[in-house]
Amino acid sequence: MSKDDEKQGSSTDVTVEETLFYDPSKESRWTRLGLTLESFKRAPGTTAGQVVAGSVDDLEKVQKDSPMLQQKMKPRHLNMIAVGGSIGTGLFVGSGAALSTGGPAGVLIGWLIIGVMLVNVTQALGEMCIMYPVSGGFYTLAVRFLDPSFAFAMGWNYWLSWVVTLPLEIVVVTETVNWWDGAQNLTPGGWIAIWWLVIIIICLFGTLGFAEEEFWSSVLKLGVLIMFLFLGVICITGGGPSSGEFGKYVGGARWQDPGAFANGFKGVCSTFVTAAFSYSGTELVGLAASETPNPRKTMPGAVKGTIWRITLIYITTLVIVGLMVPFDHPNLLGASGASASPLVIACELANIAGIPHLINATICISVMSIGLSSVYAASRTLTALAETGYAPRIFAYVDKSSRPLPSVALALAFGGLAYLEFASDGSTVFNWLVALSGLSVLFTWLSICLCHIRFRAAWTAQGHSIEELPFKAFGGVYGSWLGVVLITLVIIGQFYLAIWPIGGGGSPAERAESFFLAFLAVPIVILFTIGGLVWKKAWPRKIMEIDLDSGRKSWLTVEDMRAYRAERAAAPLHVRIFRLLFTN
């Protein structure tokens, strides 16, 4: 971009007259942190804290069309949420069950397929959320580009999946803590209360509390996983303690005995949902885009970070686990909490003292992190549902500390369901709650891909050029179509597995229960879509009727973008390679 264009753009960057917008800087520091009674009062208006790039005729109108949530997230927060935020029980614990049913090769195939799908999903999400950093992210985009009724169904299903995840994570962290003998001196109910209270306290600090916790917990998770990878390579090549199973070269012996696949094609299909669960939360960068001041600058790095997380963290970790832990190890299915973690099992097989304790502590922090993500995702989605008229208006309330208080309070209240663990039928209740939203993340990712396809069609049909986009998904609409195909195949695979489960499924009644536990989310989404259509009578918009201006924060012309890209193309080769891999 030329210097003249930069000057022109800088006049439209977010400097506004304080009389027109809410200025949190005039509040005390304690109010901004959410620690005074004043902070709980409704925010009088948007802060217009998002950068507007390019020249616009009515800057004030564009800035008023901004989320009520304040832009408190820093680039490091967004990058770490993308890279390490969703690393939790799915990888640390759930991968063990997937290994036992799919085998090491089945696990790799399942995670790779879901990983390829997710790369295309995040690329599409990045392209849209940089242009439209709106409240509710992908839900709001689905209302606009896709179909309000389907968005209503997807939004409520997504919300339900996260509020059910919160008590489940609290139960898991309680089981994980009890891995230590000393922790059993306190009753499980006491541990549930402690973890629930910790999450409530962090949520008092709003977006900043969530972002800081995610940053530091992600640093810990990534550090421990990198350490595990080095230890794994050393052990597999025979450098482990002589007292363990890796005092001599092991290599790929586990792939020969007990084998690479546990249950053939069905075993591979069984890994898909676990893989999707372990990746779920990656789409949170789409929700977080509305709470960052300049998504055009920070989102590309966060989106590209997803690729490195999938390849360098998930896949390599699962390769090491598959080489160290046999899929028929009894703890993979016969234990709970940290005892079922393949990482802990691997270190115990190697007889490496102390490391299982570190991994167990990391699992505890990871689970708490996912619990906080549950509150963040559920509250932001419910607030967007209220803003679009699909939830009671009270949930659109945002206070002076940028907390959507009613939405956060409702999400936190679901933490109390963790005590169902002690009820006689508690596990049954949990199973059916999870079944209601079991495939939620797949429907969410499907909607993102479909939104991107519709967005591109509307963008070109209404006279715009793809060159105007500040960030382009590297696969374009073809990548989104690939995502749609893969997601559809995964859902079909789950349908197949629900009808013909591994092991036959027992009696007809047990098979029927197994089917609905695995596939109940599909009819629920269909019924919600029909309900939303009947309620609001809102039909999908035609391509030429899609609103491409509301919430838009990039108004750069083709000439602006060509100048900008020409300037960046003149950078040294190493700088261009770095930008290609890690930024925009």
Side-chain angles (χ1 to χ4, degrees), residues 409-421:
L410 182 60
L412 286 170
F414 274 79
L417 292 179
Y419 286 100
L420 284 173
E421 180 71 8

Side-chain angles (χ1 to χ4, degrees), residues 173-294:
V173 76
T174 299
E175 293 175 348
T176 305
V177 167
N178 283 326
W179 183 82
W180 289 294
D181 293 334
Q184 297 173 14
N185 295 327
L186 184 63
T187 64
W191 281 113
I192 286 175
I194 289 172
W195 290 111
W196 192 13
L197 182 62
V198 167
I199 291 173
I200 290 172
I201 290 172
I202 295 176
C203 286
L204 281 176
F205 293 91
T207 301
L208 203 56
F210 165 74
E212 285 294 339
E213 187 280 333
E214 284 296 288
F215 177 82
W216 292 109
S217 66
S218 294
V219 169
L220 173 65
K221 288 184 282 187
L222 292 173
V224 169
L225 285 174
I226 291 171
M227 179 196 68
F228 173 78
L229 294 178
F230 279 109
L231 284 174
V233 171
I234 292 170
C235 287
I236 292 164
T237 54
S242 58
S243 57
E245 295 189 15
F246 300 100
K248 59 181 180 179
Y249 179 80
V250 174
R254 308 293 195 200
W255 283 57
Q256 302 296 325
D257 181 20
F261 294 94
N263 292 285
F265 178 70
K266 285 185 179 180
V268 174
C269 289
S270 71
T271 66
F272 290 146
V273 167
T274 308
F277 173 73
S278 72
Y279 286 134
S280 65
T282 304
E283 71 283 347
L284 290 184
V285 294
L287 293 175
S290 65
E291 298 185 62
T292 55
N294 192 356

Side-chain angles (χ1 to χ4, degrees), residues 27-58:
E27 307 286 356
S28 70
R29 180 181 181 183
W30 301 110
T31 296
R32 295 196 301 273
L33 287 173
L35 299 178
T36 66
L37 292 177
E38 181 70 21
S39 70
F40 290 87
K41 293 181 179 178
R42 184 189 290 271
T46 178
T47 62
Q50 293 175 328
V51 171
V52 179
S55 299
V56 292
D57 295 330
D58 192 344

Side-chain angles (χ1 to χ4, degrees), residues 230-563:
F230 279 109
L231 284 174
V233 171
I234 292 170
C235 287
I236 292 164
T237 54
S242 58
S243 57
E245 295 189 15
F246 300 100
K248 59 181 180 179
Y249 179 80
V250 174
R254 308 293 195 200
W255 283 57
Q256 302 296 325
D257 181 20
F261 294 94
N263 292 285
F265 178 70
K266 285 185 179 180
V268 174
C269 289
S270 71
T271 66
F272 290 146
V273 167
T274 308
F277 173 73
S278 72
Y279 286 134
S280 65
T282 304
E283 71 283 347
L284 290 184
V285 294
L287 293 175
S290 65
E291 298 185 62
T292 55
N294 192 356
R296 179 170 171 248
K297 180 179 179 181
T298 55
M299 278 286 286
V303 168
K304 291 181 179 180
T306 302
I307 301 174
W308 304 117
R309 176 164 60 88
I310 290 171
T311 54
L312 299 181
I313 302 298
Y314 279 91
I315 302 303
T316 51
T317 299
L318 291 170
V319 168
I320 297 297
V321 164
L323 292 172
M324 293 184 71
V325 181
F327 70 72
D328 58 358
H329 193 285
N331 277 11
L332 290 176
L333 279 180
S336 61
S339 298
S341 169
L343 280 73
V344 172
I345 294 171
C347 291
E348 289 176 342
L349 290 175
N351 198 24
I352 302 176
I355 297 299
H357 293 274
L358 175 61
I359 293 177
N360 198 59
T362 305
I363 293 173
C364 288
I365 293 173
S366 300
V367 173
M368 186 188 70
S369 170
I370 298 298
L372 282 166
S373 297
S374 302
V375 178
Y376 180 82
S379 61
R380 270 55 182 181
T381 303
L382 183 55
T383 300
L385 281 161
E387 290 172 346
T388 53
Y390 283 105
R393 190 64 188 171
I394 182 63
F395 292 111
Y397 183 102
V398 178
D399 70 11
K400 290 186 174 183
S401 187
S402 190
R403 295 169 299 201
L405 277 179
S407 300
V408 170
L410 182 60
L412 286 170
F414 274 79
L417 292 179
Y419 286 100
L420 284 173
E421 180 71 8
F422 307 117
S424 58
D425 296 326
S427 60
T428 302
V429 174
F430 265 132
N431 287 340
W432 285 106
L433 283 174
V434 172
L436 288 172
S437 54
L439 301 175
S440 169
V441 70
L442 292 176
F443 288 118
T444 301
W445 295 344
L446 178 64
S447 73
I448 291 170
C449 290
L450 292 174
C451 278
H452 182 239
I453 293 167
R454 291 267 294 172
F455 162 67
R456 281 288 190 98
W459 188 256
T460 54
Q462 295 185 29
H464 293 281
S465 169
I466 301 300
E467 288 189 75
E468 295 176 53
L469 301 176
F471 177 83
K472 291 183 284 188
F474 67 73
V477 291
Y478 300 106
S480 292
W481 276 116
L482 176 60
V484 169
V485 170
L486 290 176
I487 293 168
T488 303
L489 290 176
V490 168
I491 293 174
I492 292 172
Q494 288 311 115
F495 181 75
Y496 163 73
L497 203 61
I499 294 179
W500 295 285
I502 295 173
S507 67
E510 290 173 337
R511 292 185 66 175
E513 181 179 348
S514 175
F515 172 81
F516 283 109
L517 283 173
F519 220 68
L520 183 61
V522 174
I524 291 294
V525 169
I526 294 172
L527 287 174
F528 265 61
T529 302
I530 295 171
L533 180 61
V534 171
W535 179 20
K536 295 291 185 177
K537 296 180 176 60
W539 295 91
R541 295 177 180 86
K542 296 178 181 179
I543 291 296
M544 295 302 295
E545 296 174 354
I546 289 177
D547 178 11
L548 294 176
D549 292 336
S550 297
R552 180 178 167 186
K553 292 297 181 286
S554 177
W555 298 81
L556 297 167
T557 64
V558 172
E559 290 73 22
D560 291 336
M561 291 308 302
R562 284 177 179 173

